Amino acid sequence: MKILVLGSGAREHAIILALRAEDTQHEIFAAPGNAGIAQDATLVALDQLDGGAVTTFANENGIDLVMIGPEAPLVAGVADALRERGIPVFGPGKAAAQLEGSKAYAKRIMDAAGVPTGRAVRAASIADVEAAFDDLGSPYVVKADGLAAGKGVIVTDDRAAALAHAEQYLPAGPVLVEEFLSGPEVSLFFLSDGDTVRPLSPAQDFKRAYDGDAGPNTGGMGAYSPLPWLADQFGSEQEFVAEVTETVALPVIRQMDAEGTPFIGLLYAGLILTPAGIKVIEFNARFGDPETQVVLPRLRTPLSELLLAAASGNLEDQPQPDFSDDVAITVVLASEGYPEAPQTGRQIAGLAAAAAIDGVRLVHAATAGPDAPGGDLLATGGRVLNVVATGTDFASARARAYEAMGLIDLDGGHFRTDIAARVAK
């Protein structure tokens, strides 16, 4: 197929690598991409938020499938523009993308569908926030209602810090103050064609910037898959996935279909395993980053077939996705100062040596070409790249990942050293 992938981050690079790994050779375009993606796809100078421009390119170049990676084009309605012209697209339309674009909308859908989640209060002023804090108690959870590039959430015992966070986002509209939920977190992806869902394998990511879950929240500093400890509570990963499918994914998809906003694309369920059972923390309307980087390397079913079936409304014809028994972990290399004030434009050395390690692949998040021919790539953002390692067990995968990371040199760069440590013992 001719496939156009919209996006410029590690999630999109991971998707392209999964498409490249298939037996069938696809012609892959990426807009706008990055320096790492350029090694695996043809970059296109295209505004990913401009539905008209994307549609024109797809028509003129005979694109068979458009895969929308990030949330911003989804919320902007790019999928709608493509569907209106009959172009298969994996990603929800503007209305359905509000499941991620508005935390308040997602809570309303969950309530209507009977999906278990924490209590939440929509606060339009600091007085409302204060009242919600008094009602829900500490730790305080405040979320920006709209898109915030993974930085709109604070969880803290510090009331002043929580109020300051609310004040930062209130000028843009109401915020959500939520009940604090305690327990291990799990990310689970579902492919949906608006009616049928197919689950992928669960993963766990690490949101805090530093070891031991210290420091500020980030877009994600690492992840691993599968989650062997799910068997302790649910009997097996399969039983856990089946429960979430029946109590979360299908009710939400059916509710959205009943409201005339069918969800076609990737439903990302951010879950927490509380003493009272599984509850939803949030939904995203696209593949998660960095979880995609560890889920897709384990996927045996051709990703292109799943994406096209969902985009075409034929997902019921697809069997359950099949996964390797291998494990995968990813460790994120971040720029100095990330997440508050990342320092960019610095050279990254050692990439070839790191990529040469058996079982390791480098997935680029924010890289650009060198200043001069033959020079090192440059870091252009906070999360620069992912080292992804696979193996027969977590100990070997971690050893590979951290050996590779040790070969990469980015002045001031930092990464967590405890990713998947719990399951490698």
Coordinates of all heavy atoms in Angstrom, one line a residue, residues 13 40 45 59 82 93 120 132 135 192 197 219 234 270 272 278 305 316 359 363 385 387 400 414:
H13 N 7.4 7.3 14.4 CA 8.5 6.5 13.9 C 8.3 5.0 14.3 O 8.6 4.1 13.5 CB 9.8 7.0 14.6 CG 11.1 6.5 13.9 ND1 12.3 6.7 14.4 CD2 11.2 5.7 12.7 CE1 13.2 6.1 13.5 NE2 12.6 5.6 12.6
D40 N 13.4 6.0 7.1 CA 12.5 4.9 6.9 C 11.3 5.3 6.1 O 10.4 4.4 5.9 CB 12.1 4.3 8.3 CG 13.2 3.8 9.1 OD1 13.8 2.8 8.6 OD2 13.6 4.4 10.1
A45 N 6.7 17.8 2.9 CA 6.5 19.2 3.5 C 5.0 19.5 3.4 O 4.5 20.1 2.5 CB 7.3 20.2 2.7
N59 N -4.9 12.4 -2.5 CA -5.6 12.2 -3.8 C -4.5 12.2 -5.0 O -4.5 11.3 -5.8 CB -6.6 13.3 -4.1 CG -8.0 12.9 -3.5 OD1 -8.3 11.7 -3.4 ND2 -8.7 13.9 -3.1
L82 N -10.6 13.9 5.1 CA -10.2 12.8 4.3 C -11.4 11.9 4.1 O -11.6 11.4 2.9 CB -9.1 12.0 5.1 CG -7.7 12.7 5.1 CD1 -6.9 12.2 6.2 CD2 -7.0 12.5 3.8
G93 N -12.8 11.4 13.8 CA -13.2 12.7 13.4 C -13.1 13.7 14.5 O -12.9 13.3 15.7
A120 N -15.1 13.6 39.6 CA -14.5 14.8 39.0 C -15.4 16.0 39.1 O -16.6 15.9 39.1 CB -14.1 14.5 37.5
A132 N -13.5 22.3 45.4 CA -13.3 21.0 44.9 C -12.2 20.3 45.8 O -12.3 19.1 46.1 CB -13.0 20.9 43.5
D135 N -13.6 19.3 49.0 CA -14.5 18.1 48.8 C -13.8 16.8 48.6 O -14.0 15.8 49.3 CB -15.5 18.4 47.7 CG -16.5 17.3 47.5 OD1 -16.8 16.5 48.4 OD2 -16.9 17.1 46.3
S192 N -10.5 0.4 16.8 CA -12.0 0.5 16.7 C -12.4 0.9 15.3 O -11.7 1.8 14.7 CB -12.6 1.4 17.7 OG -14.0 1.7 17.5
V197 N -14.2 -3.7 18.4 CA -12.9 -3.4 18.9 C -12.0 -4.6 18.9 O -12.5 -5.7 19.0 CB -13.0 -2.8 20.3 CG1 -13.8 -1.5 20.4 CG2 -13.5 -3.8 21.3
G219 N 5.8 13.7 29.3 CA 5.1 13.0 28.3 C 5.3 11.5 28.4 O 4.7 10.7 27.7
F234 N -5.5 -11.1 38.1 CA -6.6 -11.4 37.1 C -6.5 -12.8 36.5 O -7.3 -13.2 35.7 CB -6.6 -10.4 36.0 CG -6.9 -9.0 36.4 CD1 -5.8 -8.1 36.8 CD2 -8.2 -8.5 36.5 CE1 -6.1 -6.8 37.2 CE2 -8.4 -7.3 37.0 CZ -7.4 -6.4 37.3
G270 N -6.3 4.8 29.6 CA -5.3 4.9 30.7 C -6.0 4.4 32.0 O -7.0 5.0 32.4
I272 N -6.2 2.5 36.0 CA -5.6 2.3 37.3 C -6.3 1.2 38.0 O -7.5 1.1 38.0 CB -5.6 3.6 38.1 CG1 -4.7 3.5 39.4 CG2 -7.0 4.1 38.5 CD1 -4.3 4.8 40.0
I278 N -10.9 -2.0 38.5 CA -10.3 -1.2 37.4 C -11.1 0.1 37.2 O -12.3 0.0 37.1 CB -10.3 -2.0 36.1 CG1 -9.5 -3.4 36.3 CG2 -9.7 -1.2 35.0 CD1 -9.7 -4.3 35.2
E305 N -2.8 -4.3 8.0 CA -4.1 -4.9 7.9 C -5.0 -4.5 9.0 O -6.2 -4.2 8.7 CB -3.9 -6.4 7.9 CG -3.1 -7.0 6.8 CD -2.9 -8.5 6.9 OE1 -3.6 -9.1 7.8 OE2 -2.2 -9.1 6.1
E316 N -14.4 -6.5 12.2 CA -14.9 -7.7 12.7 C -14.4 -8.9 11.9 O -14.4 -10.1 12.3 CB -16.5 -7.7 12.6 CG -17.0 -7.8 11.2 CD -17.1 -6.5 10.4 OE1 -16.6 -5.5 11.0 OE2 -17.7 -6.5 9.3
G359 N 19.1 -6.7 19.2 CA 17.8 -6.5 19.8 C 17.4 -5.1 20.1 O 16.4 -4.8 20.7
V363 N 14.4 4.9 18.1 CA 13.1 5.5 17.6 C 13.2 7.0 17.9 O 13.3 7.4 19.1 CB 11.9 4.8 18.3 CG1 10.6 5.4 17.8 CG2 11.9 3.3 18.1
L385 N 14.9 10.9 21.8 CA 14.8 9.6 21.1 C 14.5 8.5 22.2 O 14.7 8.8 23.4 CB 16.0 9.3 20.3 CG 17.4 9.2 21.0 CD1 17.6 7.9 21.7 CD2 18.5 9.5 20.0
V387 N 15.4 4.5 23.1 CA 16.1 3.2 22.9 C 15.1 2.1 23.2 O 14.6 2.1 24.3 CB 17.3 3.1 23.8 CG1 17.9 1.7 23.7 CG2 18.4 4.2 23.5
R400 N 20.4 -4.7 27.4 CA 20.6 -4.2 26.0 C 20.2 -2.7 25.9 O 21.0 -1.9 25.3 CB 19.7 -5.0 25.0 CG 20.2 -6.4 24.8 CD 19.2 -7.2 24.0 NE 19.7 -8.5 23.6 CZ 19.0 -9.4 23.0 NH1 17.7 -9.2 22.6 NH2 19.5 -10.6 22.7
H414 N 19.5 13.4 29.8 CA 19.2 12.6 31.0 C 18.1 11.6 30.7 O 17.3 11.7 29.8 CB 18.7 13.5 32.2 CG 17.4 14.2 32.0 ND1 16.2 13.7 32.5 CD2 17.2 15.4 31.5 CE1 15.3 14.6 32.2 NE2 15.8 15.6 31.6

